[in-house]
């Protein structure tokens, strides 16, 4: 019965002593090879069967070819990303020059209350970002989240943005459906990368939502977290701080165990009974903050979670005492083994500490949120929320025009 050559896959008729088929070309190549070549083809032993040695060599050639193919694809993607990033910077310069020539001052003027007079938009969205002008231009802006304006809170200082939208815009009957992109943190990140805008995002990696002994070490290595640094853990499909834990790298392993290893059976029932007694507490104790995040992780339907680098904004003065400031949910922050609530967005609360002086153009390192300057003024590493609307172009409906509605800093109550 004919068969296939064990080395090249060609059709052949004769079986060798090792029970495998070899074509005349491969068998002749083996016979005329030197002893050293035979050792290299196999595992280093000339006594191995010819077919086994040649199969190992063939596998090695295939592996090399696959490695070259992966390298070529990676290089192609890198060049494509660089080209897209150049287009971004060119467009940014064009917009900056246009704003210099024709500055936009204030919010759009209100129109009549009738929807017929309002501008139809296909998407109303928000960006939460960190901004630090002390850093190099490429690293000054980091977009933390995207969101749908219809589902976003515009409390306190953000109320003016919602008023501006309600006064001037109305949703188009055929809006853009981008829920998957803005609601899934991994999808959001990958979209930025595919568009050549990876520099606008914190470094992010996805991991199976399953504990492993080396998981903390892999996250530290993948993100390049320095000793004493922080890691931001997030669920990919939760919003308003749910599933967000800001964790010192020294506490990463212990925190991952708590989030990814739920109790089972009676132990789970006992845990739930103990926590349910304090579920309505208006002033949750530190351990209860992490307990809330544990429930999000234990019940989440996504098979993965993400780990991000911690990003910072230039510190801004805190509002005067008694002033209401914007606030959102309470992600957990781990501080020397303790957990505390934070009254701001995903990246906005780390343990108290002093912000080191950062020279112009340098990075801020692992600084903290609440700080005190030398003059005693309290400052905060705030998250900026900006709102925008996308509308169809007047000349070409397939092209979208963007209207900025404004922005504000999300600061804690003071």
């Amino acid at each position: 019965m004919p068969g296939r050559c064990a080395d090249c896959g060609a059709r052949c008729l004769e079986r060798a002593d090792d029970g495998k088929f070899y074509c005349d070309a491969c068998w002749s190549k083996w016979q005329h090879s030197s002893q050293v070549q035979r050792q290299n083809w196999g595992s280093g032993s000339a006594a191995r069967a010819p077919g086994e040695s040649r199969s190992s060599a063939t596998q090695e050639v295939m592996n090399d070819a696959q490695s070259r193919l992966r390298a070529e694809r990676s290089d192609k993607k890198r060049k494509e990303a660089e080209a897209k990033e150049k287009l971004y910077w060119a467009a940014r310069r064009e917009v900056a020059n246009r704003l210099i020539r024709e500055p936009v001052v204030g919010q759009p003027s209100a129109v009549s209350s009738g929807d017929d007079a309002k501008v139809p938009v296909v998407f109303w969205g928000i960006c939460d970002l960190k901004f630090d002008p002390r850093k190099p231009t490429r690293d000054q802006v980091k977009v933390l989240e995207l969101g749908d304006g219809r589902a976003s809170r515009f409390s306190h200082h953000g109320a003016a943005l919602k008023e501006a939208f309600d006064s001037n815009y109305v949703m188009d009957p055929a809006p853009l459906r981008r829920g998957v992109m803005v609601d899934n943190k991994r999808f959001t990140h990958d979209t930025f990368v595919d568009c050549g805008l990876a520099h606008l995002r914190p470094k992010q990696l996805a991991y199976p939502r399953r504990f492993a002994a080396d998981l903390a070490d892999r996250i530290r290595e993948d993100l390049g977290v320095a000793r004493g640094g922080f890691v931001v853990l997030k669920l990919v499909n939760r919003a308003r701080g749910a599933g967000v834990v800001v964790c010192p790298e020294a506490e990463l392993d212990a925190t991952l165990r708590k989030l990814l290893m739920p109790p089972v059976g009676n132990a789970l029932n006992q845990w739930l009974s103990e926590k349910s007694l304090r579920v309505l507490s208006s002033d949750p104790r530190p351990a209860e903050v992490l307990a809330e995040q544990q429930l999000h992780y234990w019940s989440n339907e996504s098979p993965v979670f993400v780990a991000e680098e911690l990003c910072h904004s230039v510190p801004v003065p805190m509002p005067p005492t008694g002033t209401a400031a914007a606030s959102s949910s309470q992600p957990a922050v781990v501080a020397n083994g303790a957990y505390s609530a934070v009254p701001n967005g995903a990246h906005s609360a780390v343990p108290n500490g002093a912000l080191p002086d950062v020279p112009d153009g340098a990075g801020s390192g692992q600084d903290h949120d609440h700080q005190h300057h030398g003059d005693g003024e309290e400052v905060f590493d705030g998250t900026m929320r900006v709102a925008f609307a996308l509308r169809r172009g007047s000349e070409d409906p397939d092209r979208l025009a963007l209207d900025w509605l404004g922005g504000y800093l999300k600061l804690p109550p003071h």
Side-chain angles (χ1 to χ4, degrees):
M1 174 182 287
R4 294 282 183 178
C5 175
D7 278 352
C8 68
R11 292 181 61 84
C12 45
L13 301 176
E14 295 185 6
R15 196 188 299 267
D17 292 339
D18 62 357
K20 299 179 181 179
F21 288 93
Y22 300 100
C23 65
D24 292 342
C26 291
W27 185 253
S28 177
K29 188 182 299 182
W30 167 259
Q31 287 181 315
H32 292 88
S33 63
S34 66
Q35 184 72 9
V36 174
Q37 288 174 320
R38 295 183 185 186
Q39 290 174 347
N40 291 337
W41 285 348
S43 62
S45 173
R48 290 192 63 183
E52 293 177 350
S53 298
R54 290 200 300 276
S55 296
S56 177
T58 302
Q59 185 62 47
E60 184 177 345
V61 172
M62 292 176 62
N63 291 339
D64 290 343
Q66 292 174 351
S67 297
R68 287 195 301 271
L69 182 60
R70 284 194 295 268
E72 291 173 359
R73 289 175 177 172
S74 177
D75 187 58
K76 181 180 178 181
K77 291 184 65 174
R78 178 183 58 80
K79 291 179 178 178
E80 290 176 349
E82 290 175 351
K84 291 176 180 177
E85 184 176 339
K86 289 180 179 179
L87 292 176
Y88 161 79
W89 287 109
R92 175 170 162 163
R93 286 191 296 269
E94 180 182 348
V95 171
N97 292 333
R98 187 190 312 153
L99 290 176
I100 292 174
R101 295 191 304 267
E102 305 171 5
V104 178
V105 180
Q107 292 286 346
S109 58
V111 297
S112 63
S113 58
D115 285 350
D116 292 341
K118 296 180 181 180
V119 178
V121 298
V122 294
F123 186 79
W124 174 32
I126 59 101
C127 292
D128 284 351
L129 55 88
K130 293 289 187 178
F131 174 66
D132 191 345
R134 303 168 300 176
K135 294 183 177 181
T137 303
R138 193 172 185 272
D139 301 324
Q140 290 180 358
V141 176
K142 294 294 182 180
V143 178
L144 306 183
E145 309 281 354
L146 296 179
D148 191 324
R150 294 173 293 179
S152 301
R153 294 179 181 175
F154 290 95
S155 56
H156 303 299
H157 297 303
L161 301 185
K162 189 174 188 308
E163 292 173 2
F165 180 85
D166 292 339
S167 299
N168 295 276
Y169 299 95
V170 65
M171 293 303 300
D172 191 282
L176 290 177
R177 305 293 184 182
R178 293 296 183 269
V180 174
M181 188 184 76
V182 301
D183 293 341
N184 187 294
K185 294 176 176 61
R186 188 58 187 172
F187 198 169
T188 299
H189 182 82
D190 290 345
T191 301
F192 270 76
V193 173
D194 290 343
C195 292
L197 304 176
H199 66 283
L200 294 178
R201 286 281 300 158
K203 189 174 183 181
Q204 181 191 95
L205 280 303
Y207 303 90
R209 197 167 48 83
R210 181 177 63 251
F211 182 78
D214 64 338
L215 181 57
D217 289 335
R218 284 192 282 128
I219 292 175
R220 291 190 192 96
E221 182 179 355
D222 292 344
L223 293 180
V225 181
R227 183 179 296 276
F230 291 83
V231 175
V232 183
L233 306 175
K234 293 183 177 182
L235 292 172
V236 298
N237 56 356
R238 290 292 182 267
R240 295 178 179 172
V244 177
V245 178
V246 183
C247 180
E249 59 85 21
E251 302 288 339
L252 186 55
D253 184 76
T255 303
L256 289 170
R257 288 178 183 272
K258 290 181 171 67
L259 296 176
L260 303 178
M261 297 182 68
V264 295
N266 292 333
L268 178 60
N269 293 332
Q270 181 179 355
W271 188 93
L272 291 173
S273 297
E274 293 174 354
K275 302 305 177 184
S276 63
L277 298 177
R278 295 186 289 270
V279 70
L280 297 179
S281 173
S282 59
D283 184 22
R285 284 177 281 183
E288 305 309 313
V289 178
L290 183 69
E292 179 184 347
Q293 302 296 0
Q294 285 178 282
L295 287 175
H296 287 301
Y297 275 81
W298 298 347
S299 61
N300 191 249
E301 61 274 15
S302 174
V304 300
F305 72 99
V306 295
E308 286 185 358
E309 65 173 326
L310 180 65
C311 298
H312 302 278
S313 287
V314 60
V316 296
M318 291 289 291
T321 302
T323 301
S327 63
S328 60
S329 55
Q330 296 184 330
V333 177
V334 188
N336 298 325
Y339 299 85
S340 59
V342 266
N344 201 358
H347 284 60
S348 61
V350 251
N352 293 345
L355 175 69
D357 291 331
V358 182
D360 188 26
S364 61
Q366 291 293 349
D367 43 36
H368 306 301
D369 288 82
H370 287 280
Q371 300 111 25
H372 294 271
H373 279 183
D375 57 4
E377 182 185 43
E378 188 176 8
V379 296
F380 190 77
D381 178 5
T383 297
M384 178 175 287
R385 170 163 290 184
V386 295
F388 63 93
L390 296 177
R391 52 185 171 81
R392 301 191 188 279
S394 56
E395 298 181 357
D396 183 0
D398 292 332
R399 294 180 63 87
L400 298 178
L402 183 146
D403 290 352
W404 288 110
L405 305 184
Y408 65 102
L409 285 167
K410 299 197 295 179
L411 300 176
H414 191 56

